[in-house]
Every structure is written in structure tokens, then in C-alpha cells.
Amino acid sequence: MRAAMRAMAAGCVAVFLGACAALPARLPDQVPAFELSGRVAVRYGDEAASGRAEWRHAPETDDMVISTPLGQGLAELTRRGDVFTLVTSDGKRHTASDPESLTESVLGWRLPLAGLPEWVRAQPLPGVPADVKRAEGRVSRIAQSGWTIDYLEYGENGLPRRLRLQRDTLDI
């Protein structure tokens, strides 16, 4: 079960796969609020899992829920200001001031939460070196902070609809 929970918690990165909510335009110096929901497929080393993820993001809060394809909750990650809490399916609560160290200590690897609000919008994280590739007038790949994000499909609204994130042995 721990392996499935690890893989599915990783899926919170990819909550935007098959996203069904539109993202608002970004205001200068402000990360926009949005809600995304989608299917998630995760491969972590020799393990693989799939399910659903829901993500509500706002400037001061984040709420992510990862569940099985049948809707059973596996993990919940929340942010309130600078405090991150990860609740596993067995009800254990883990808290930290940095999401990457929290996910590393609980799951065994670092989850790239700092870049996600930008990456789901096909934008690199500001102030961090990035290699951005474009094709047909759109971002096709961002390589940043050790992650490679491929933009596989765009929706009619011009925003990414399907993404693939890769780092080391993690493929989402």
C-alpha cells in the first residue's frame, strides 16, 4: 500500500493531466487561483499506478487530493501560507515548512510543488534557469530544476491539457 500511496501522491504533480478547468490570466507578481481535476498515471522506478487528482490553488493555499480510479482517497496535501501538511491514507499527518523536504521524508523523493502553478500554464518558474522549447508557436518542453515537462496536448482555450513530467525514475 505504501508503494501505491507514494506513486499516487506523486500524481498530485500531474493533477492537471486532462484538466477540466480554465486557468485565469496571470497578474504581475501574483500566482493566479485555479482548480484542476484529472486522471493521473505514474511510474516510479519499477512501480506504476493510476488514479484521479483534484487540485485547488490560490495565492495562500493549496488543496490536493489523490484518489484511486474508484474514488478512494490515498493522500491529501494542503498548504496554508508557508505550512504544508501531508495526510496519508492511514490518517498519519506530517507537517513541514517546505513541500519538497516533506514529500522526501514521507514519500522518499522530492515533489516539485514550487514550479507546478507555473508549469500547468506552460510557463517556467520565474527567476530559475530554464530551457524552454517551442513548436508551432507554443511551449512544447520546459526543462527546469531537474524536471522535464513535455506539453503533449493543448485545449481549445490555448492552455495545456496533457503534460508529462519526468525526473530520474519518476514519470508522470
Side-chain angles (χ1 to χ4, degrees), residues 6-65:
R6 278 186 187 181
M8 291 311 299
C12 67
V13 175
V15 67
F16 40 84
L17 296 177
C20 32
L23 300 173
R26 179 179 178 167
L27 299 175
D29 301 317
Q30 180 183 17
V31 176
F34 57 80
E35 291 186 27
L36 299 175
S37 174
R39 293 177 297 139
V40 179
V42 180
R43 182 174 304 279
Y44 182 61
D46 294 333
E47 302 172 28
S50 64
R52 293 207 42 86
E54 309 281 332
W55 180 17
R56 284 188 310 258
H57 171 81
E60 291 297 316
T61 64
D62 278 292
D63 294 289
M64 297 181 181
V65 177

Side-chain angles (χ1 to χ4, degrees), residues 63-109:
D63 294 289
M64 297 181 181
V65 177
I66 309 303
S67 58
T68 68
L70 299 176
Q72 181 182 19
L74 292 174
E76 182 177 335
L77 180 64
T78 60
R79 175 182 62 92
R80 297 296 179 264
D82 294 331
V83 178
F84 295 84
T85 303
L86 178 63
V87 179
T88 57
S89 62
D90 59 4
K92 292 185 180 173
R93 180 178 299 272
H94 308 270
T95 303
S97 60
D98 143 42
E100 285 78 14
S101 64
L102 173 63
T103 56
E104 183 173 43
S105 67
V106 176
L107 306 173
W109 44 268

Side-chain angles (χ1 to χ4, degrees), residues 113-130:
L113 298 176
L116 284 181
E118 306 299 328
W119 294 342
V120 298
R121 299 166 44 78
Q123 298 176 0
L125 184 62
V128 178

Side-chain angles (χ1 to χ4, degrees), residues 93-170:
R93 180 178 299 272
H94 308 270
T95 303
S97 60
D98 143 42
E100 285 78 14
S101 64
L102 173 63
T103 56
E104 183 173 43
S105 67
V106 176
L107 306 173
W109 44 268
R110 298 173 82 75
L111 199 61
L113 298 176
L116 284 181
E118 306 299 328
W119 294 342
V120 298
R121 299 166 44 78
Q123 298 176 0
L125 184 62
V128 178
D131 180 23
V132 179
K133 299 211 181 312
R134 296 181 182 279
E136 300 177 16
R138 294 181 173 169
V139 172
S140 60
R141 172 178 279 184
I142 295 175
Q144 188 174 41
S145 301
W147 285 89
T148 300
I149 304 94
D150 288 306
Y151 296 86
L152 306 175
E153 182 181 337
Y154 278 81
E156 291 178 14
N157 61 3
L159 294 168
R161 183 176 160 94
R162 278 189 48 214
L163 312 175
R164 180 177 184 188
L165 288 88
Q166 294 178 294
R167 181 179 185 153
D168 302 325
T169 61
L170 180 60

